[in-house]
Amino acid sequence: MKTIEELLAEGVDGKRVFVRADLNVPLADGLITDDGRIRAVLPTVQALVGAGAKVIVASHLGRPKGAPDPQFSLLPAAERLGELLGKPVAFAQDTVGPAANEAVDGLEPGQVAVIENLRFNAGETSKDDAERGDFAEQLANLADVYVGDGFGAVHRKHASVYDLPKRLPHYAGYLIATEVGVLKKLTQDVKRPYVVALGGAKVSDKLAVIDQLLGKADRLLIGGGMAYTFLKAKGYEVGISLLQEDQIPTVTEYMARAEKNGVELVLPVDVLVSAEFPDLKGKTPANPSTVAADAIPADQEGLDIGPETRKLYASKLADAETVFWNGPMGVFEHPDYAEGTKAVAQALIDAPGFTVVGGGDSAAAVRTLGFDEKAFGHISTGGGASLEYLEGKTLPGLAALED
């Protein structure tokens, strides 16, 4: 795929450059709680601004139903982008039409406009090729060139990700080029030991990537809510812990295949349990107790890996030359259940090799828990996209850029 470096060499002075970013930031009462995704697109926007382009930044935010919804407005993200750029950013209150045209027409070389949430238009996410294509045509009229830099959305066959680059000269931004380079390190000529730590709530979300990794990784460390389906498959009592009963046969087969393939599949040996899910707003003390993984009381639920498991997982990461981590080990948002996720994050920092935090909640946890982002080899901006790449799937947004 062509990259932004090639575009800059060709020259963009005065050209309208459409940047498909990922500004899908978490909001609380209209305030951004983590601006990592906005900061991730800054190098691309700054380079284009510096080269005299008229930059149009577009993104989705949340899951509006194909119509305007004030709670999902991109205005807070646009204002934050302006603060980080150190210059005003125009904001169009629509994706296309008069408001978008006015904002773009008003740009001088080196200026930036953000258009409203792309998912306010039903054409963005439509499964109908013609409806998606019609919206892409309208977006294409705003610009001369397309730069794809929203890695967190490249696994979606959406108008701005898949259809629009087919209608304009297209290039990969710095972020996408970096993300693809990192993922190649996890799939081609991998340095070993290769250790993968997987957490998060649902085992079903990770089944496809586990299926692929059973032939590639040396060790798989399982934590988070998904671990309890594995523990149940071993015949353990898991109480009222998160459980996907329908996935037990698949998990059982995976454990057998891991043993056959010589892949070390490591499960928690102890867990923190409580009879109640913690208060994540007030964060009142939860006072959990620690029990062995095979001794979870019937009226309790597991909410984090225990101290012995933290030590075990740290030891399994200690010699790793390549690490991929996706999904927290527990309910890290509450301080009483954050230690498991902290332990894995610290073990990645201490590991001798190349470490990748695979986006999503893992990336949020790293920032929330106060770790230095520079201490990791790479923090991905796209959890779902990273997982689908590792699963071996073709990602529509990358395929469109490669054409």
Side-chain angles (χ1 to χ4, degrees):
M1 66 179 70
K2 288 185 177 180
T3 68
I4 188 173
E5 290 290 353
E6 293 168 87
L7 173 60
L8 293 170
E10 294 166 10
V12 292
D13 188 25
K15 288 186 178 179
R16 300 171 302 162
V17 181
F18 188 104
V19 178
R20 201 328 180 164
D22 179 8
L23 308 182
N24 186 26
V25 291
L27 296 170
D29 299 321
L31 300 176
I32 296 170
T33 58
D34 181 357
D35 67 358
R37 284 177 170 165
I38 301 175
R39 287 186 285 113
V41 78
L42 270 181
T44 290
V45 175
Q46 287 171 327
L48 292 167
V49 165
K54 300 175 180 179
V55 184
I56 305 124
V57 180
S59 176
H60 69 286
L61 192 153
R63 294 180 182 273
K65 306 294 184 183
D69 185 337
Q71 68 176 318
F72 296 118
S73 175
L74 271 180
L75 180 58
E79 291 173 342
R80 181 59 180 148
L81 178 62
E83 290 171 3
L84 293 168
L85 287 171
K87 61 191 307 175
V89 167
F91 182 70
Q93 295 182 338
D94 201 349
T95 54
V96 291
N101 289 329
E102 183 180 347
V104 173
D105 291 345
L107 291 176
E108 297 292 334
Q111 293 185 339
V112 181
V114 173
I115 61 175
E116 186 55 285
N117 191 336
L118 291 164
R119 290 186 183 175
F120 284 4
N121 189 305
E124 170 68 0
T125 59
S126 176
K127 294 192 180 341
D128 181 83
D129 290 350
E131 186 178 12
R132 245 188 12 259
D134 180 62
F135 183 46
E137 285 286 352
Q138 294 178 71
L139 292 173
N141 290 332
L142 296 173
D144 305 305
V145 182
Y146 177 93
V147 173
D149 215 30
F151 180 73
V154 294
H155 58 314
R156 306 294 187 194
K157 193 176 181 181
H158 290 170
S160 67
V161 175
Y162 178 74
D163 302 271
L164 179 56
K166 294 176 178 294
R167 289 163 165 79
L168 292 170
H170 46 270
Y171 303 79
Y174 289 121
L175 176 61
I176 279 186
T178 298
E179 294 273 14
V180 171
V182 165
L183 289 168
K184 284 181 177 177
K185 288 186 179 182
L186 301 177
T187 53
Q188 302 171 12
D189 299 321
V190 180
K191 291 186 178 180
R192 299 185 180 278
Y194 178 19
V195 185
V196 177
L198 295 174
K202 294 182 179 180
V203 69
S204 56
D205 292 343
K206 306 290 195 308
L207 286 177
V209 76
I210 293 172
D211 183 52
Q212 286 291 315
L213 291 169
L214 286 174
K216 295 173 182 173
D218 298 300
R219 296 176 202 135
L220 283 174
L221 315 181
I222 306 294
M226 62 183 286
Y228 302 102
T229 302
F230 280 87
L231 295 175
K232 185 72 172 180
K234 288 174 68 73
Y236 295 173
E237 169 66 58
V238 297
I240 56 172
S241 304
L242 215 61
L243 176 65
Q244 290 186 279
E245 293 253 17
D246 60 324
Q247 302 299 338
I248 289 176
T250 303
V251 163
T252 302
E253 190 269 321
Y254 282 2
M255 289 193 291
R257 185 142 55 96
E259 186 173 2
K260 180 182 177 182
N261 291 355
V263 177
E264 199 177 351
L265 198 155
V266 189
L267 298 175
V269 295
D270 62 345
V271 296
L272 268 61
V273 298
S274 174
E276 294 181 350
F277 195 83
D279 168 23
L280 298 183
K281 286 193 173 179
K283 293 185 170 53
T284 53
N287 300 317
S289 55
T290 303
V291 299
D294 60 355
I296 298 174
D299 63 345
Q300 309 252 318
E301 65 178 315
L303 295 163
D304 194 13
I305 57 174
E308 293 305 315
T309 305
R310 291 174 221 148
K311 292 177 192 173
L312 173 65
Y313 286 10
S315 73
K316 298 297 182 182
L317 289 159
D319 64 344
E321 289 297 330
T322 305
V323 182
F324 176 75
W325 168 36
N326 179 277
M329 295 291 110
V331 187
F332 74 91
E333 298 92 341
H334 192 286
D336 288 346
Y337 300 106
E339 293 304 316
T341 302
K342 281 184 184 176
V344 168
Q346 187 60 52
L348 260 72
I349 292 171
D350 295 339
F354 182 62
T355 58
V356 178
V357 179
D361 287 341
S362 313
V366 162
R367 289 188 275 267
T368 300
L369 298 174
F371 288 95
D372 180 1
E373 294 180 47
K374 295 184 177 66
F376 302 90
H378 179 70
I379 298 179
S380 179
T381 56
S386 296
L387 288 174
E388 290 198 15
Y389 189 101
L390 294 183
E391 289 166 20
K393 290 184 177 179
T394 297
L395 306 188
L398 296 185
L401 291 175
E402 286 166 356
D403 284 351

